[in-house]
Amino acid sequence: MLAKRIIPCLDVRDGVVVKGIGFKQHRVIGDILTLAEYYSAAGADELVFYDITASAENRTVSTQWVEKVAAKLSIPFCVAGGIRDVKSAQNILRSGADKVSINTPALHNPDLIGKIADLFGRQCVVVGVDSMRDDHGQYWVWQATGSEKTASQTRRKTLQWISELESLGAGEIVLNCMNSDGQKTGYDIAQLTAARAISRLPLIASGGAGSYEDFIQLFSQVNVDGALAASVFHQKTCQIAQLKEMLIAKNIAIRPVDH
């Protein structure tokens, strides 16, 4: 059985790490390189660097930042933010990223997923899906969520979009459950279960972690491949080493931290 992954996320805006609630009300958390180095040493299995306003501002994440962060890491590194063409993906990968994650650009140009996969391998193409539940219990994909001014609901239903991603060439899905984001009330088990039922791709859960128990519940109840979180790690509510010890004690396959 493949080990589950614990993945801190650095949401970056204006050159610093920030964190919001429901993709809004962002506050400054700290320095990008300091946090990247900390998580690499703390036992994280992977790190995500997400320039949250890149798509909204019609630009691509800076390769200079990618190079600086990559130099601090000894773990796999995924980068997201305005990657809207093959050349941008190539530049990010050559700058030190192991994977690229595309979200809004994939909605506007689904063929981009396959084009990147054909050139660099499916394993390095992650598709982020920002999903919000409406008042009727229906899940919808949102776009340009890095800014409150540009965030908007698309006409795509979340589960329909997820069901298409494997055939489009995606190698992995990160499901960002917007209703849970920053709430610290646990992952959206119902939505993640529904997504798992319709896709064979590696699935990463994102949004809602607030305690050690939330991770245990997630991995015990849904066959996801990893858990992405931000606030709970930034604020040291959960320490990665202790989290992994607790997961191992529950017989959940996880890579132990090397002390």
Side-chain angles (χ1 to χ4, degrees):
M1 179 184 296
L2 290 175
K4 308 296 185 181
R5 285 175 274 154
I6 302 299
I7 308 171
C9 180
L10 303 183
D11 290 329
V12 174
R13 186 175 69 182
D14 300 326
V16 293
V17 177
V18 299
K19 187 66 188 81
I21 298 175
F23 286 41
K24 300 177 182 178
Q25 304 167 23
H26 292 96
R27 66 189 187 282
V28 175
I29 296 296
D31 177 72
I32 297 170
L33 299 182
T34 300
L35 285 167
E37 192 168 23
Y38 165 73
Y39 287 126
S40 184
D45 296 299
E46 189 172 318
L47 184 73
V48 172
F49 178 105
Y50 185 16
D51 185 330
I52 62 173
T53 57
S55 284
E57 296 172 356
N58 197 34
R59 59 178 176 78
T60 304
V61 56
S62 164
T63 55
Q64 291 181 327
W65 270 118
V66 175
E67 290 173 356
K68 290 177 182 179
V69 173
K72 298 288 185 180
L73 300 179
S74 58
I75 56 175
F77 178 34
C78 180
V79 173
I83 300 170
R84 59 180 52 84
D85 53 44
V86 171
K87 183 64 175 178
S88 297
Q90 182 182 55
N91 290 339
I92 297 300
L93 292 168
R94 285 182 173 175
S95 297
D98 300 281
K99 303 177 184 178
V100 293
S101 180
I102 52 178
N103 189 326
T104 299
L107 293 167
H108 296 169
N109 178 19
D111 289 343
L112 175 62
I113 302 169
K115 289 179 179 178
I116 297 174
D118 287 344
L119 282 174
F120 307 110
R122 180 188 288 261
Q123 79 286 343
C124 73
V125 185
V126 179
V127 176
V129 180
D130 294 337
S131 174
M132 185 178 289
R133 184 180 62 254
D134 66 16
D135 294 337
H136 305 288
Q138 181 65 251
Y139 299 112
W140 296 91
V141 178
W142 279 58
Q143 62 184 347
T145 56
S147 168
E148 295 177 46
K149 296 179 181 179
T150 58
S152 63
Q153 180 183 306
T154 72
R155 295 183 178 181
R156 292 182 183 271
K157 293 182 178 179
T158 299
L159 296 180
Q160 180 180 344
W161 178 229
I162 286 174
S163 71
E164 297 173 11
L165 291 177
E166 183 172 5
S167 64
L168 287 171
E172 183 169 287
I173 297 168
V174 175
L175 179 53
N176 303 307
C177 302
M178 295 176 67
N179 302 85
S180 303
D181 180 72
Q183 300 296 328
K184 301 181 183 178
T185 54
Y187 289 94
D188 188 336
I189 299 297
Q191 184 174 185
L192 290 161
T193 299
R196 177 75 292 163
I198 60 171
S199 177
R200 299 178 300 175
L201 291 175
L203 177 64
I204 307 300
S206 175
S211 68
Y212 290 108
E213 186 60 37
D214 291 335
F215 291 92
I216 294 170
Q217 181 187 49
L218 171 68
F219 288 124
S220 298
Q221 296 188 17
V222 191
N223 185 25
V224 295
D225 298 85
L228 185 148
S231 297
V232 72
F233 294 140
H234 296 335
Q235 297 169 3
K236 296 184 171 59
T237 305
C238 291
Q239 299 282 353
I240 293 176
Q242 186 174 349
L243 170 60
K244 288 191 165 188
E245 288 175 1
M246 294 175 72
L247 292 170
I248 290 169
K250 295 289 184 179
N251 295 316
I252 294 167
I254 203 85
R255 182 180 67 85
V257 175
D258 297 325
H259 296 287

